[in-house]
PDB file of all heavy atoms in Angstrom:
ATOM      1  N   GLY A 115      -6.752   9.608   9.226  1.00  0.00           N
ATOM      2  CA  GLY A 115      -6.763  10.326   7.957  1.00  0.00           C
ATOM      3  C   GLY A 115      -7.465  11.667   8.069  1.00  0.00           C
ATOM      4  O   GLY A 115      -7.002  12.670   7.523  1.00  0.00           O
ATOM      5  N   ALA A 116      -8.555  11.698   8.803  1.00  0.00           N
ATOM      6  CA  ALA A 116      -9.308  12.936   8.955  1.00  0.00           C
ATOM      7  C   ALA A 116      -8.488  13.980   9.720  1.00  0.00           C
ATOM      8  O   ALA A 116      -8.418  15.144   9.332  1.00  0.00           O
ATOM      9  CB  ALA A 116     -10.625  12.652   9.669  1.00  0.00           C
ATOM     10  N   LYS A 117      -7.842  13.527  10.788  1.00  0.00           N
ATOM     11  CA  LYS A 117      -6.996  14.447  11.551  1.00  0.00           C
ATOM     12  C   LYS A 117      -5.830  14.940  10.704  1.00  0.00           C
ATOM     13  O   LYS A 117      -5.477  16.116  10.732  1.00  0.00           O
ATOM     14  CB  LYS A 117      -6.441  13.750  12.800  1.00  0.00           C
ATOM     15  CG  LYS A 117      -7.404  13.758  13.970  1.00  0.00           C
ATOM     16  CD  LYS A 117      -6.718  13.200  15.210  1.00  0.00           C
ATOM     17  CE  LYS A 117      -7.742  12.726  16.236  1.00  0.00           C
ATOM     18  NZ  LYS A 117      -7.161  11.795  17.220  1.00  0.00           N
ATOM     19  N   HIS A 118      -5.249  14.015   9.997  1.00  0.00           N
ATOM     20  CA  HIS A 118      -4.118  14.370   9.161  1.00  0.00           C
ATOM     21  C   HIS A 118      -4.522  15.404   8.112  1.00  0.00           C
ATOM     22  O   HIS A 118      -3.816  16.370   7.865  1.00  0.00           O
ATOM     23  CB  HIS A 118      -3.557  13.129   8.477  1.00  0.00           C
ATOM     24  CG  HIS A 118      -2.387  13.417   7.616  1.00  0.00           C
ATOM     25  ND1 HIS A 118      -1.180  13.820   8.135  1.00  0.00           N
ATOM     26  CD2 HIS A 118      -2.236  13.409   6.271  1.00  0.00           C
ATOM     27  CE1 HIS A 118      -0.329  14.028   7.148  1.00  0.00           C
ATOM     28  NE2 HIS A 118      -0.947  13.792   6.003  1.00  0.00           N
ATOM     29  N   ARG A 119      -5.674  15.188   7.540  1.00  0.00           N
ATOM     30  CA  ARG A 119      -6.212  16.116   6.547  1.00  0.00           C
ATOM     31  C   ARG A 119      -6.337  17.527   7.120  1.00  0.00           C
ATOM     32  O   ARG A 119      -5.911  18.501   6.504  1.00  0.00           O
ATOM     33  CB  ARG A 119      -7.585  15.600   6.130  1.00  0.00           C
ATOM     34  CG  ARG A 119      -8.045  16.020   4.781  1.00  0.00           C
ATOM     35  CD  ARG A 119      -9.388  15.371   4.445  1.00  0.00           C
ATOM     36  NE  ARG A 119      -9.950  15.997   3.283  1.00  0.00           N
ATOM     37  CZ  ARG A 119      -9.519  15.807   2.054  1.00  0.00           C
ATOM     38  NH1 ARG A 119      -8.507  14.985   1.842  1.00  0.00           N
ATOM     39  NH2 ARG A 119     -10.073  16.425   1.039  1.00  0.00           N
ATOM     40  N   LYS A 120      -6.885  17.600   8.306  1.00  0.00           N
ATOM     41  CA  LYS A 120      -7.026  18.904   8.959  1.00  0.00           C
ATOM     42  C   LYS A 120      -5.671  19.545   9.166  1.00  0.00           C
ATOM     43  O   LYS A 120      -5.474  20.728   8.931  1.00  0.00           O
ATOM     44  CB  LYS A 120      -7.708  18.739  10.324  1.00  0.00           C
ATOM     45  CG  LYS A 120      -9.220  18.707  10.229  1.00  0.00           C
ATOM     46  CD  LYS A 120      -9.835  18.704  11.625  1.00  0.00           C
ATOM     47  CE  LYS A 120     -11.310  18.312  11.559  1.00  0.00           C
ATOM     48  NZ  LYS A 120     -11.834  17.926  12.881  1.00  0.00           N
ATOM     49  N   ARG A 121      -4.751  18.745   9.636  1.00  0.00           N
ATOM     50  CA  ARG A 121      -3.402  19.249   9.904  1.00  0.00           C
ATOM     51  C   ARG A 121      -2.762  19.824   8.649  1.00  0.00           C
ATOM     52  O   ARG A 121      -2.155  20.892   8.679  1.00  0.00           O
ATOM     53  CB  ARG A 121      -2.571  18.078  10.436  1.00  0.00           C
ATOM     54  CG  ARG A 121      -1.167  18.420  10.822  1.00  0.00           C
ATOM     55  CD  ARG A 121      -0.443  17.140  11.245  1.00  0.00           C
ATOM     56  NE  ARG A 121       0.986  17.293  11.161  1.00  0.00           N
ATOM     57  CZ  ARG A 121       1.794  17.435  12.199  1.00  0.00           C
ATOM     58  NH1 ARG A 121       1.292  17.425  13.411  1.00  0.00           N
ATOM     59  NH2 ARG A 121       3.085  17.565  12.030  1.00  0.00           N
ATOM     60  N   ILE A 122      -2.905  19.106   7.564  1.00  0.00           N
ATOM     61  CA  ILE A 122      -2.333  19.542   6.293  1.00  0.00           C
ATOM     62  C   ILE A 122      -2.957  20.856   5.839  1.00  0.00           C
ATOM     63  O   ILE A 122      -2.265  21.806   5.470  1.00  0.00           O
ATOM     64  CB  ILE A 122      -2.560  18.480   5.203  1.00  0.00           C
ATOM     65  CG1 ILE A 122      -1.836  17.185   5.534  1.00  0.00           C
ATOM     66  CG2 ILE A 122      -2.108  19.001   3.845  1.00  0.00           C
ATOM     67  CD1 ILE A 122      -0.360  17.340   5.707  1.00  0.00           C
ATOM     68  N   ILE A 123      -4.270  20.882   5.889  1.00  0.00           N
ATOM     69  CA  ILE A 123      -4.982  22.076   5.444  1.00  0.00           C
ATOM     70  C   ILE A 123      -4.630  23.265   6.317  1.00  0.00           C
ATOM     71  O   ILE A 123      -4.404  24.369   5.841  1.00  0.00           O
ATOM     72  CB  ILE A 123      -6.508  21.825   5.447  1.00  0.00           C
ATOM     73  CG1 ILE A 123      -6.861  20.811   4.347  1.00  0.00           C
ATOM     74  CG2 ILE A 123      -7.271  23.120   5.237  1.00  0.00           C
ATOM     75  CD1 ILE A 123      -8.254  20.240   4.443  1.00  0.00           C
ATOM     76  N   ALA A 124      -4.507  23.021   7.630  1.00  0.00           N
ATOM     77  CA  ALA A 124      -4.218  24.088   8.580  1.00  0.00           C
ATOM     78  C   ALA A 124      -2.882  24.762   8.309  1.00  0.00           C
ATOM     79  O   ALA A 124      -2.733  25.964   8.484  1.00  0.00           O
ATOM     80  CB  ALA A 124      -4.245  23.530  10.003  1.00  0.00           C
ATOM     81  N   ARG A 125      -1.901  24.001   7.852  1.00  0.00           N
ATOM     82  CA  ARG A 125      -0.562  24.572   7.743  1.00  0.00           C
ATOM     83  C   ARG A 125      -0.247  25.161   6.380  1.00  0.00           C
ATOM     84  O   ARG A 125       0.902  25.529   6.135  1.00  0.00           O
ATOM     85  CB  ARG A 125       0.482  23.551   8.141  1.00  0.00           C
ATOM     86  CG  ARG A 125       0.575  22.338   7.240  1.00  0.00           C
ATOM     87  CD  ARG A 125       1.703  21.466   7.746  1.00  0.00           C
ATOM     88  NE  ARG A 125       1.633  21.411   9.213  1.00  0.00           N
ATOM     89  CZ  ARG A 125       2.701  21.174   9.978  1.00  0.00           C
ATOM     90  NH1 ARG A 125       3.871  21.021   9.419  1.00  0.00           N
ATOM     91  NH2 ARG A 125       2.571  21.105  11.288  1.00  0.00           N
ATOM     92  N   LYS A 126      -1.239  25.215   5.538  1.00  0.00           N
ATOM     93  CA  LYS A 126      -0.966  25.803   4.229  1.00  0.00           C
ATOM     94  C   LYS A 126      -1.164  27.307   4.249  1.00  0.00           C
ATOM     95  O   LYS A 126      -1.981  27.833   4.977  1.00  0.00           O
ATOM     96  CB  LYS A 126      -1.856  25.176   3.157  1.00  0.00           C
ATOM     97  CG  LYS A 126      -1.217  23.925   2.573  1.00  0.00           C
ATOM     98  CD  LYS A 126      -1.752  23.587   1.185  1.00  0.00           C
ATOM     99  CE  LYS A 126      -3.234  23.264   1.207  1.00  0.00           C
ATOM    100  NZ  LYS A 126      -3.651  22.467   0.059  1.00  0.00           N
TER     101      LYS A 126
ATOM    102  N   LEU B  25     -12.331   9.904   1.342  1.00  0.00           N
ATOM    103  CA  LEU B  25     -11.278  10.912   1.231  1.00  0.00           C
ATOM    104  C   LEU B  25     -10.224  10.830   2.331  1.00  0.00           C
ATOM    105  O   LEU B  25      -9.036  10.757   2.028  1.00  0.00           O
ATOM    106  CB  LEU B  25     -11.904  12.312   1.160  1.00  0.00           C
ATOM    107  CG  LEU B  25     -12.387  12.695  -0.247  1.00  0.00           C
ATOM    108  CD1 LEU B  25     -13.488  13.732  -0.183  1.00  0.00           C
ATOM    109  CD2 LEU B  25     -11.217  13.195  -1.078  1.00  0.00           C
ATOM    110  N   PRO B  26     -10.635  10.825   3.586  1.00  0.00           N
ATOM    111  CA  PRO B  26      -9.610  10.737   4.631  1.00  0.00           C
ATOM    112  C   PRO B  26      -8.817   9.435   4.567  1.00  0.00           C
ATOM    113  O   PRO B  26      -7.613   9.424   4.819  1.00  0.00           O
ATOM    114  CB  PRO B  26     -10.424  10.792   5.926  1.00  0.00           C
ATOM    115  CG  PRO B  26     -11.693  11.452   5.544  1.00  0.00           C
ATOM    116  CD  PRO B  26     -11.970  11.019   4.142  1.00  0.00           C
ATOM    117  N   ASP B  29      -6.179   9.800   2.068  1.00  0.00           N
ATOM    118  CA  ASP B  29      -5.095  10.634   2.604  1.00  0.00           C
ATOM    119  C   ASP B  29      -4.156   9.819   3.479  1.00  0.00           C
ATOM    120  O   ASP B  29      -2.937   9.932   3.385  1.00  0.00           O
ATOM    121  CB  ASP B  29      -5.669  11.796   3.425  1.00  0.00           C
ATOM    122  CG  ASP B  29      -6.350  12.823   2.532  1.00  0.00           C
ATOM    123  OD1 ASP B  29      -6.103  12.802   1.310  1.00  0.00           O
ATOM    124  OD2 ASP B  29      -7.127  13.637   3.045  1.00  0.00           O
ATOM    125  N   TYR B 100       3.849  13.344  16.646  1.00  0.00           N
ATOM    126  CA  TYR B 100       2.821  13.119  15.618  1.00  0.00           C
ATOM    127  C   TYR B 100       2.835  11.661  15.151  1.00  0.00           C
ATOM    128  O   TYR B 100       1.780  11.055  14.950  1.00  0.00           O
ATOM    129  CB  TYR B 100       3.046  14.053  14.428  1.00  0.00           C
ATOM    130  CG  TYR B 100       1.917  14.041  13.431  1.00  0.00           C
ATOM    131  CD1 TYR B 100       0.600  14.180  13.847  1.00  0.00           C
ATOM    132  CD2 TYR B 100       2.171  13.869  12.075  1.00  0.00           C
ATOM    133  CE1 TYR B 100      -0.435  14.162  12.935  1.00  0.00           C
ATOM    134  CE2 TYR B 100       1.132  13.855  11.159  1.00  0.00           C
ATOM    135  CZ  TYR B 100      -0.171  14.002  11.593  1.00  0.00           C
ATOM    136  OH  TYR B 100      -1.191  13.976  10.686  1.00  0.00           O
TER     137      TYR B 100
END
Side-chain angles (χ1 to χ4, degrees):
Chain A
K117 277 187 200 161
H118 181 68
R119 205 176 168 74
K120 276 186 195 164
R121 182 184 159 106
I122 296 302
I123 291 167
R125 65 177 42 206
K126 272 203 297 202
Chain B
L25 278 155
D29 289 343
Y100 189 49

